[in-house]
Each structure stands twice: as structure tokens, then as C-alpha cells.
Amino acid sequence: MDVQETTAACRDAFAELASPARIHDPYPFMHWLREHDPVHRAASGLFLLSRHADIYWALTATGDAFRAPAPGELARYFPRAATSLSLNLLASTLAMKDPPTHTRLRRLISPDFTMRQIDNLRPSIARIVAARLDGMAPALERGEAVDLHREFALALPMLVLAELFGMPQDDMFGLAAVIDPILKGLGPHASDPQLATADAASVRVQAYFGDLIQRKRTDPRHDIVSMLVGAHDDDADTLSDAELISMLWGMLLGGFATTAATIDHAVLAMLAYPEQRHWLQRDAVGVKAFVEEVLRRDSPVMFSATLRIAQRDIELGGVVIPKNADVRVLIAAGNRDPDAFADPDRFDPARFYGTSPGMSTDGKIMLSFGHGIRFCLGAQLARVQLAESLPRIQARFPTLASAEPPTRETSEFLRTFRALPVRLHAQGG
Amino acid sequence: MRILVDQDLCATSGQCVLTLPGTFRQREPDGVAEVCVATVPQALHAAVRLAASQCPVAAIRVIESDAGDDERASVDPAPSPAGAERHPAKDQRNPGGHDGTV
């Protein structure tokens, strides 16, 4: 039987995605998986969906056909949950809650993420962008290579988040250093030492946010932490301290590694497809099309890290997903499904020209921010950071070129970078 | 055409506001979506259906019939052709944007 054969050919897609060759370029394997084993059951029992239509359905059905793990059954899905702080924090984030708790918690943060609030941040985002580019200019103009990942792509979302959280910039740079080990520890194949390193880092984050909450309690300002502390203090039942800390931990984790990776991917697209740079020299509609296409073609999140547990037996593409199975979605494969996006490996911003954000001209949803009740809280914040950055990079450094190939982080579920060295092309050779 | 937003379901993603800023807005302070027009002009019908289909949590319900202007009328699945004639101002981009039906 076909499914048997392909299951034998790929026993565990998660392990396959973690191999060095797949981290370098996961897309040929993803195309194979989607064509041959679109409802994949890994040796570990995890399911992995890779067709756009199935992923879209699963995201939409979250909270209905799929649920989050109940506190009492965490150990079943996270065998090391009892001892791991990182897994415990992950389990208490918004991403692991069902309605009505999910709705209650999400509505507490949503005032800071309305379109109006994000729009209000535009001037300060533009200011940070300009300052970071100014900072890179002298070295670039001397003909030196500069690490655009560290100096710009990572710095921008960190500084924006520092402003949102009301944190000193140096504190944010300190905290940011411990994010990568935590993200590594949350992968489905994380080793015990990786998890231990993640937990040590989470202890630091937890302690920092504990202190920050105390400071905001005595000296509240106009920032997210002060606002959440206020919600907590008005009604202790509304938001526990533990919920508050895991919420901040979750925003920190979700907030900038993904945004940084997308800025990196956007710059790589500018360098690889100079004929497409004209989108960044037009109006906001052209910039938006470029940004959405970067998000589609290079989703920073390869597959979902959060659990979706089947509420019942679910038949999908001739495969029965049994009740209580943990189902993950391979977002990066769905974004490159030719049934949703024709010639999917091609970088073509025209797919998103003149549409509403996240939807192609064919009416297909770009999956990188998810869909359904867990739709990325920071989607618009990320979009604004990209839209404020890319035209300025293009205008400021029109001869930007790669200095060395970029270095990727070795994570199978986040496609992020360690370094992206760039330089300026010598004018006139 | 009329629009209903299920405010319990709304995930405050703001997607509808990005799609059709004159038709939807986010309530202060919690960002829950609201409709800011009583009825939708013909020119925007297709855009409203698109916004409804794009809502991540399917919280937007579109009532096609203009018979719906009568509160007690049942939902008519077929758009009334007469409806088009009642909204001749097709080029009116943002009608009723502030007439606050909320």
C-alpha cells in the first residue's frame, strides 16, 4: 500500500527535518512529503500535515476539532514537563489555552495590538530603523562587511519590544541572548542537555520578569507590562502572576526571532532577485506585496510548536488521526503547495499585489501567521517593522550585496539565522 | 447587505479592519471588531464577502438580503436585484463611516 511504502521511506519527518542537509534546504523534502505522505504519522506518534488545504482546515478547527492539553495530562504530551521550567512555561502560554481561558487572556493583551496602536508605533519604528542603518553606514562605506542580522534584523524587533515592554534597551539585549537556547530546547527532538540549558535560560527570564512586574507595580508607565500588571491588580482572578510571566515569556520568544528571520529573508530576496526590488521603490501597496511574498516563501516557523490534540478520530486524506493524537502543521510546506500558490518556489510579489494582507490574488491564505483563534498576535507589528525597513534599506544601500553566505541556526522548526554578512558593491567595479 | 460580527468569537486580529477600514473598526480598548455601517453599498459587497472569508475565526456573518433592513425579515439567500438599485452610489467609498450603528 502506498502509504505503507512512504511511511517506510520516511519514518519520522521531524527527525528528517532536523538533519543538516534539510536545515540547509528543507523544501525538496517538504515537496516530497506533501506529495507522498501529506498526513504523516511520525514514529513518535506525532502527526504532521503538509497540504495547504489540510493545514488551513486544522488551524481553523483549533478550539473545536482540536484542543490544548489539559493541565493534568501535560506529562503525556511533554514527558519531561514535570521537571522542565521551559515546558511548563510553554504549556501556560496563550498558545496552549482553549477558550474561554484563551479568549480571556488574549483580550487582556489585545488593546496593545490593535491596528491603531500598531500604527501609532510607526514613527518610533521608523526612527529605530533609520538609526540602525546610520550605525551600519560608516563600516559599509569603508568597504567592510557588516553582519546585517545582528546589527539590524535582530536589533530592530528587540528595540521595538523593549519600547513596548517598557524595558531598558540593555536589559532587552541581555535577555535576547538567552532566547535561542530556549527555542532550541522546545523542539520535539531536543536532547536532555538542550532542555537543561533552556531551563537555565528560562529561570533567568522568569526572574527578570518577576522583578520587572514589581517595578511596574510601583512605577507604572504606558507600556504592556504596566497595563497587564494593572489588569492583574484590579482583579487577581483575571490574571495570575504565573500567567503574566508566561505571557511575557511567550511574547519574548515569539516576538523577535521570527521577525528577525523574516527581515533576513527579505534582504536575501532583495539580493537574490534584484529584478524584484522595484516593488520596494513604489508605493505602500508594492511594499506590502513584497513583504507578504517573503512571508509566504520563507516562513520563519517551519511547523507548529504548540500542541493541537484531536478531540475525536479525524479522517484526513484517507488517514485516520486517532483521538488524542498531537497534530502539528508544516506551515512552510503549505505555503509552497502548488495547489494554493502556482509555481510555489518562485519569488513573485505580484501574488499579493492589491490584496488585503495575507491573502493572495487567488484568495489563498498565507499561513505564516497561522489562522484561527491562535492567529499571531504580533502579525501586524511584524508587518509594520518589515514595511518600514525594506524600502529604507533599498534607498540607503542600493548596492547592497552578500559578503559571505549567511549562517543558519540549526533549528528544525524555526528557520532563523546566526549571521548575514553584507557589504556594498564597489561602484564602477 | 448587512454584516454581523460575533463579538464573543472575535480573536481581535484586526484583519477585517486592514481589509476594509471604512466598514470595520476595532472597539476601544479591547480591539474586538465592530461594524461601522448599517448597510453595505453594492460597490463593497464583494470586498465584504472577502473580508468575511478571511477572518481567522469566521466571526463575520454576511446577510445578503436587503430585506434584512426589516429587522424581522428572514434571511433571503438570494441577493435582491432591487437592492442594487437602492444603492446607486457605487463610487461612494466610505458611506456611513461615522453614522455609528454600533
Side-chain angles (χ1 to χ4, degrees):
Chain A
M1 190 183 162
D2 197 28
V3 172
Q4 291 295 329
E5 271 171 35
T6 52
T7 307
C10 175
R11 279 181 48 74
D12 194 324
F14 296 96
E16 187 71 33
L17 287 167
S19 71
R22 303 304 182 205
I23 283 177
H24 176 69
D25 182 8
Y27 291 104
F29 171 70
M30 287 190 193
H31 285 313
W32 179 89
L33 188 71
R34 191 184 50 242
E35 278 163 34
H36 295 95
D37 193 11
V39 185
H40 172 74
R41 185 185 187 280
S44 60
L46 256 63
F47 280 79
L48 185 64
L49 311 181
S50 49
R51 279 193 298 230
H52 184 280
D54 293 343
I55 294 169
Y56 181 78
W57 174 79
L59 295 175
T60 310
T62 299
D64 171 25
F66 299 99
R67 62 178 173 86
E73 58 172 6
L74 274 183
R76 174 171 169 189
Y77 297 97
F78 292 122
R80 288 174 288 195
T83 53
S84 165
L85 174 63
S86 303
L87 291 176
N88 259 294
L89 284 166
L90 178 67
S92 27
T93 56
L94 206 48
M96 293 285 195
K97 302 284 187 197
D98 279 326
T101 307
H102 177 269
T103 318
R104 170 176 71 82
L105 293 176
R106 182 147 176 148
R107 295 259 168 110
L108 287 175
I109 349 174
S110 57
D112 277 298
F113 289 90
T114 61
M115 298 307 121
R116 179 185 300 188
Q117 289 296 332
I118 301 300
D119 241 19
N120 289 345
L121 290 171
R122 255 180 213 275
S124 72
I125 291 173
R127 204 170 51 238
I128 297 170
V129 167
R132 295 310 294 191
L133 296 180
D134 284 348
M136 288 165 61
L140 284 171
E141 282 156 9
R142 284 195 302 269
E144 294 166 20
V146 170
D147 181 1
L148 186 134
H149 170 71
R150 186 152 299 278
E151 298 301 322
F152 186 83
L154 195 57
L156 171 65
M158 275 166 50
L159 293 170
V160 170
L161 213 58
E163 201 161 305
L164 276 176
F165 278 15
M167 277 169 62
Q169 293 184 356
D170 285 347
D171 288 10
M172 182 56 88
F173 281 102
L175 271 193
V178 304
I179 295 303
D180 276 332
I182 298 178
L183 291 171
K184 283 206 178 73
L186 297 177
H189 287 272
S191 65
D192 283 340
Q194 278 178 324
L195 196 57
T197 310
D199 286 344
S202 286
V203 168
R204 274 187 61 186
V205 176
Q206 192 183 34
Y208 180 83
F209 282 138
D211 281 352
L212 186 67
I213 288 167
Q214 288 313 317
R215 273 184 278 152
K216 297 296 177 185
R217 191 163 277 150
T218 50
D219 184 17
R221 302 285 174 96
H222 288 290
D223 57 56
I224 289 186
V225 181
S226 299
M227 196 261 308
L228 289 174
V229 167
H232 169 269
D233 292 354
D234 285 349
D235 175 4
D237 290 338
T238 304
L239 185 64
S240 72
D241 256 354
E243 279 175 332
L244 186 70
I245 287 177
S246 65
M247 205 181 255
L248 296 173
W249 179 88
M251 283 194 261
L252 187 67
L253 253 64
F256 61 80
T258 46
T259 309
T262 306
I263 295 171
D264 290 328
H265 279 127
V267 170
L268 286 171
M270 289 164 67
L271 301 183
Y273 312 107
E275 75 282 5
Q276 304 284 5
R277 290 191 194 182
H278 67 91
W279 295 99
L280 300 174
Q281 293 157 337
R282 292 197 207 172
D283 52 1
V285 184
V287 174
K288 189 225 73 175
F290 192 96
V291 167
E292 297 298 316
E293 178 66 345
V294 170
L295 284 162
R296 179 199 70 85
R297 190 165 172 277
D298 286 296
S299 175
V301 178
M302 298 276 98
F303 58 84
S304 52
T306 54
L307 279 69
R308 286 183 171 79
I309 297 163
Q311 296 264 39
R312 50 180 162 81
D313 288 0
I314 293 166
E315 197 189 319
L316 210 54
V319 177
V320 175
I321 299 171
K323 184 179 176 179
N324 293 331
D326 176 1
V327 179
R328 307 297 179 97
V329 292
L330 191 55
I331 285 165
N335 274 342
R336 293 213 194 187
D337 185 340
D339 285 346
F341 303 101
D343 195 3
D345 293 332
R346 200 160 65 89
F347 183 78
D348 180 12
R351 301 176 201 275
F352 294 100
Y353 188 72
T355 61
S356 63
M359 185 181 269
S360 77
T361 51
D362 294 333
K364 297 293 185 194
I365 298 285
M366 184 277 294
L367 299 169
S368 303
F369 291 125
H371 206 65
I373 62 169
R374 307 217 199 292
F375 184 85
C376 176
L377 185 68
Q380 187 59 11
L381 181 59
R383 281 173 166 142
V384 168
Q385 291 183 63
L386 281 151
E388 292 296 323
S389 297
L390 305 183
R392 285 187 174 84
I393 295 173
Q394 167 65 25
R396 184 80 202 254
F397 305 123
T399 63
L400 198 72
S402 171
E404 279 174 58
T407 319
R408 290 192 180 274
E409 290 289 353
T410 55
S411 162
E412 76 273 35
F413 79 95
L414 283 179
R415 196 154 171 78
T416 55
F417 292 83
R418 199 172 291 160
L420 174 53
V422 294
R423 60 181 176 79
L424 299 185
H425 255 313
Q427 292 284 8
Chain B
M1 175 186 276
R2 288 190 307 150
I3 315 165
L4 296 174
V5 172
D6 184 333
Q7 298 190 323
D8 293 331
L9 207 57
C10 175
T12 69
S13 72
Q15 195 66 48
C16 54
V17 182
L18 288 173
T19 305
L20 272 179
T23 306
F24 297 94
R25 68 179 170 223
Q26 283 183 295
R27 172 173 93 185
E28 299 285 343
D30 61 7
V32 168
E34 298 177 328
V35 182
C36 39
V37 294
T39 57
V40 182
Q42 188 79 24
L44 290 178
H45 282 193
V48 165
R49 286 185 206 107
L50 196 68
S53 74
Q54 199 178 3
C55 172
V57 291
I60 300 170
R61 193 171 148 226
V62 175
I63 298 170
E64 295 278 358
S65 172
D66 277 310
D69 289 349
D70 172 0
E71 291 294 328
R72 284 148 56 79
S74 62
V75 177
D76 178 358
S80 148
E85 288 161 25
R86 260 187 277 154
H87 297 286
K90 288 187 189 205
D91 57 346
Q92 201 181 345
R93 299 304 301 172
N94 196 2
H98 301 287
D99 70 355
T101 59
V102 189

